[in-house]
Amino acid sequence: MLPLLLTAAAALRAGVGIYDITGPAQDVNLMGMANPAQKAEGILQRLRARAFVFADGASRPVAFASLDAGMGGFVLKQRVLAALAASLPGVFDDASLTISGTHSHSGPSGFLQYTIFQFAGSGWVAETIDAFVSGTAEAIVRAYRSLAPARLTLASAEVADAAINRSPTAYLLNPAEERRRYAGDLDQTMVQLHVLAPDGTPRGLANWFAVHGTSLNNTNRLLSGDNKGHAAYLLEARQNGPTSDASRAGAGPFVAAFASTALGDVSPNTAGAVCRGGARQGEPCDTVHSTCPDDDGRPRAQLCTAAGPGADMYDSSRLIAQRQADVSAAMLDGAARAGGVEGAVRGVLSYVPLGEGVEVHAANGSVIGTTCAAAMGEAFAAGTTDGPGMFDFNQAGNSSNPLFKFLASFLRHASPKLAACQAPKPVLLPTGEINFPWPWAPSSVPVQLLQLGQHFIAALPTELTTMAGRRLRAALAARLAARGLWQSDSLVWISGLANGYADYTTTYEEYQQQRYEGGSTIFGPHQLQAYIEALLSLADHLAAGTTPPLGTPPKDFSHDVESSLLGDLLTPPRLKAEEPPRGRAFGDVLLDAPPQVAAGGEVRVAFVGGNLRNDPRVQDSFVRVEAWRQGGWRLVAEDADPTTRLLAQREEKHVVLTAVWQPPVQTAAGQYRITLHGAWMKNTACNICPEKLTPVQYNGTSRTFALTPPQRAA
């Protein structure tokens, strides 16, 4: 066996790639909180697709892409595959490509075709899906074209103080014997895969750690990869150097992906949930229902919210990012000494019809139940302590809410069969039974298993809770061992929100309490077991070297959505011809920088601008912070850097764009300026012709200001 392992290890090749997927930064609802008021109004950090390609020289290469996005999507993946078929014909297929979202709740919506997600965002937004598809495909192409002999190593470590379980009472419903196997209701392990050159030089890494992308709450209006996007930035800056003309953030060559895993009940808001008003302000919330009494004693979910460890949500995101980045960096420093990855690289995938009643089984093979047509429970409408819902619903509540009756009568009641199958869930929306004007929820979902040598990745289109993830990994490891694929150092981990999106997955026991995660487990109480059995079947095919049946993929009806009247009603406003204020031009400064700023302070410059959707400036930047060095202006920060923010305020015929820079205390003193680059829309049609919009580029520049050392406290 030893010569075979050495041959396999020597044959491994890997490539890394990264590309811009920022998309529309204005007018589009952010994806994740389902808050219609949460429309993008600028950029905190640009969004990226980070891709890794692995090849063993014998099988089809495997690609993994992690996106600074809410989740993967079925249409997104199919369009990426089509783009790859055009540029890399015959290289990748559905089974050999994984696209996973980091689960940032601060990326643009508009890339999920099911009707419920149309209403949760801004309908179908071509600008979003196009940016995601083109950027992801380009990142994968770059990774493939950088394939080279590589050493792959795997390590794991604990990340402290970066997360809490936001549904601890549901976790306690799991069997005591099962809970005793684990250290508490939180999985704090980060698994990290390193891509090294043969000489040990780091080329990239991907890690998986369970924490939600909700450090930024539903009041945020700026595009951001949240804590995981920020952590990726920190590792890439550490390896590639700080932003400069020669080393721009997001340009590589070192690529670091902080990917999602079983994060369903895991919050980054480590200060916990407390009452933000009402009769018990400042006290802990009700732990079962996540409510607080208002001044009249009525329980309100809106009064119960959680906060992170920082001074505000942006500081909290930074701190949670830093805690992940510090652990990742320590593992990277020991990457050459970590366990080697040796063996085959393969992927298998099937589409499983969970919405059509898949039978699930006990250990003795007897049928214990079936999955159900999809449905959302009342707790779904309650939201979570990371972002409560807008209406008077409670987690673990019942159907006493009058809005429930209104919504049910407006859409449709759950059939008796669906209600019985989903019990004890009080069904709010029977999404699996609503097909007007298009399906409201998936029925068939992708289940994928990747093999990287002696290690395995279960890629699922869902958010598993902590115990659901533990139970799935344990079952899969046992089957892999029984089939002879497990080695003493093998690991199996979960890549969540991958290849599609089908909401949450709890354990059967957690489902009974019907907190948010249970109310959002759409295929009923046996959903987790159905996922487990589908993965066990894929493990059997991996062991036998056979191709599993593909099953029936969902129908792609996105083009119907895009061209529909409903699509027109939900999508962002059409771009219009713009004009500057009287006596002004685009790029003019409305509020200039002060003559002098201390490091650690803040600089704001406001410009006459155009809509940020006019030109997304892919792989570029709207804002540049420049320093006068060596006889010229040199780049020191831009949109991709968390020290900058770009704020968009719509006026009647133009946009006021405010560039904000918060120079870190260690920033070198000197002369600086801030520049803005964008496009405004001009009507270039003749007087009697229909409007024809043409983007016109413009630039603006602040005064030169002096940056001084940080001010000392008195």
Side-chain angles (χ1 to χ4, degrees), residues 350-373:
S350 286
Y351 286 91
V352 183
L354 294 186
E356 298 176 13
V358 172
E359 290 184 344
V360 299
H361 307 85
N364 64 6
S366 62
V367 175
I368 58 174
T370 69
T371 58
C372 317

Side-chain angles (χ1 to χ4, degrees), residues 72 79 87 104 131 230 284 319 353 436 439 577 594 617:
R79 293 192 185 186
S87 54
S104 169
H230 194 146
L319 289 171
F436 178 81
R617 299 188 64 79

Side-chain angles (χ1 to χ4, degrees), residues 289-377:
H289 300 94
S290 293
T291 59
C292 295
D294 63 15
D295 292 333
D296 296 322
R298 293 172 298 184
R300 301 289 189 186
Q302 292 76 19
L303 295 178
C304 174
T305 58
D312 59 21
M313 61 182 171
Y314 299 107
D315 190 39
S316 292
S317 181
R318 177 188 64 81
L319 289 171
I320 299 300
Q322 189 69 62
R323 291 167 190 179
Q324 293 176 76
D326 288 346
V327 173
S328 173
M331 284 193 284
L332 178 62
D333 289 343
R337 300 184 299 277
V341 178
E342 301 174 334
V345 173
R346 295 179 290 175
V348 287
L349 176 145
S350 286
Y351 286 91
V352 183
L354 294 186
E356 298 176 13
V358 172
E359 290 184 344
V360 299
H361 307 85
N364 64 6
S366 62
V367 175
I368 58 174
T370 69
T371 58
C372 317
M376 308 299 296

